Amino acid sequence: MQHVQIELDGKPHAVPPGSTLAELIASLATPAESVATAVNGALVAGDQRALCLLKAHDAVLVFRAIVGG
Amino acid sequence: MQASASIHSNDTLQIDGVQLHSRFLLGTAGYPSPQVLAQAIDAAGTQIVTVGLKRTLAAQGDNGFITMLQDKLRDGRARLLPNTAGCRSAREAVQLAHMARELYATHWVKLEVVGDEHTLQPDPFELVQAADQLVRAGFTVFPYCTDDLVTCRRLLDVGCPLLMPWGAPIGSGKGLLNPYALRTLRARLPDTVLIIDAGIGAPSHAAQAMEMGFDAVLLNSAVAHAKDPVVMAGAFASAIAAGRHAYHAGVIPVQDFAVASTPVGGAPLLL
């Protein structure tokens, strides 16, 4: 089955059809609680990621904590 | 007396209902190791440290810095103040602030919206727009702004509880480039918490800001990039304390001509 093309942190990315945001985060090998996520500019809270189905052309942002000034 | 950024117990800084004894806010970027950062935070006596966010695909491992900071947070010794560094528009900054609130579990945000790549000067229009949206969304906004009085007033109008005017461009180490504008801000906004943010290079710059009556200082590079960040953090703590003491004590006015300090009268004594 053809993958769904999305944009992840500004770069093209393919996910299996029917993927959720939670599954995408799990595929990144990053602890889910260590990132914040947004889809198409809107925050998706950690407890909502499993309910967030990814569609073609969705723009997903995944941010993690870093040091800063 | 041990040098410290805390002056005395009743001279506290109130932010968002939180009573702070330290007037030294410290950035966490650019330290050689988490251990050095931890020691610098202790030497500074700081109670607020700034942190950031970065896209996961672009971020390298943090080598334990964030874990160390979160441990300190659990100790109750430091509060995290996430920033929106890297944002160029109100839309980006608002989005990143919401992500920061999710990630760091705080409604405090240091709002940065840059309008010029060369100077990293804040964009006043986007900044006010973002601050307005974030205050309405329940954030306590710490806006990084210029020393422009009218922009500062607009930020207060939309609900920012304090202002963080720059001393000089970020990382420049130039100190207070426009003391006149900063004195004007202090004079025209006497009841507003004003924190000098950015451009501080030496402890004397921080002391100067405190002598002028600013409420606190936020800096990063001057400590992180020092040959010995821990000792430098202590030096800044001493300078901030000295400047605060001097402000309370009252610095004498500058005179154009000599004013004799020894009371010998008008003529020399010849015996």
Side-chain angles (χ1 to χ4, degrees):
Chain A
M1 191 177 294
Q2 200 164 21
H3 277 49
V4 174
Q5 294 297 320
I6 64 166
E7 191 178 85
L8 174 60
D9 285 349
K11 294 179 179 171
H13 191 87
V15 295
S19 290
T20 66
L21 181 58
E23 290 166 337
L24 171 64
I25 300 305
S27 74
L28 300 177
T30 299
E33 66 279 7
S34 71
V35 296
T37 52
V39 176
N40 301 326
L43 175 76
V44 179
D47 60 1
Q48 297 298 306
R49 289 176 196 153
L51 304 175
C52 179
L53 279 175
L54 295 175
K55 309 181 300 296
H57 311 300
D58 275 349
V60 178
L61 292 175
V62 182
F63 277 76
R64 59 176 289 179
I66 59 165
V67 291
Chain B
M1 188 178 81
Q2 186 180 2
S4 165
S6 60
I7 312 302
H8 38 73
S9 59
N10 60 350
D11 183 36
T12 55
L13 179 61
Q14 298 278 343
I15 296 178
D16 193 28
V18 177
Q19 198 172 43
L20 300 164
H21 294 281
S22 172
R23 293 175 179 273
F24 186 2
L25 290 71
L26 189 62
T28 59
Y31 291 81
S33 71
Q35 292 73 28
V36 170
L37 172 57
Q39 292 170 22
I41 289 171
D42 290 341
T46 188
Q47 293 175 284
I48 298 177
V49 293
T50 54
V51 289
L53 293 93
K54 193 167 187 176
R55 293 181 185 199
T56 294
L57 292 185
Q60 304 296 315
D62 81 335
N63 297 321
F65 280 97
I66 291 297
T67 302
M68 183 280 292
L69 289 171
Q70 287 169 336
D71 288 344
K72 278 212 174 294
L73 183 69
R74 274 190 285 276
D75 290 348
R77 293 159 67 185
R79 286 174 170 270
L80 297 182
L81 176 60
N83 67 32
T84 61
C87 291
R88 303 300 191 259
S89 68
R91 184 185 60 79
E92 285 179 334
V94 168
Q95 179 176 300
L96 195 60
H98 279 90
M99 297 177 90
R101 183 162 65 177
E102 161 92 352
L103 196 54
Y104 288 111
T106 176
H107 62 282
W108 286 12
V109 64
K110 175 184 169 182
L111 181 60
E112 294 183 49
V113 188
V114 164
D116 178 71
E117 296 302 320
H118 188 66
T119 60
L120 299 180
Q121 180 171 335
D123 181 323
F125 307 100
E126 298 290 320
L127 188 66
V128 172
Q129 187 182 331
D132 187 21
Q133 293 178 39
L134 289 172
V135 168
R136 291 173 195 272
F139 286 84
T140 296
V141 178
F142 295 54
Y144 167 58
C145 54
T146 66
D147 49 26
D148 181 79
L149 174 60
V150 176
T151 303
C152 286
R153 281 207 166 118
R154 295 294 171 266
L155 289 165
L156 295 174
D157 289 345
V158 299
C160 295
L162 57 85
L163 301 167
M164 300 210 298
W166 68 353
I170 293 170
S172 67
K174 288 178 175 292
L176 308 185
L177 279 183
N178 194 343
Y180 171 77
L182 293 172
R183 275 196 302 272
T184 302
L185 266 189
R186 181 67 289 173
R188 298 295 293 149
L189 304 172
D191 300 321
T192 300
V193 171
L194 297 176
I195 300 171
I196 293 293
D197 179 9
I200 298 289
S204 56
H205 301 153
Q208 182 189 7
M210 299 305 291
E211 288 169 9
M212 292 166 68
F214 285 89
D215 296 281
V217 170
L218 193 166
L219 59 94
N220 188 154
S221 302
V223 168
H225 297 162
K227 276 192 285 190
D228 188 331
V230 179
V231 172
M232 187 60 85
F236 268 103
S238 299
I240 290 166
R244 185 67 178 173
H245 281 306
Y247 171 67
H248 279 306
V251 177
I252 65 167
V254 174
Q255 307 286 341
D256 282 334
F257 300 101
V259 180
S261 53
T262 303
V264 294
L269 294 175
L270 299 174
L271 298 177

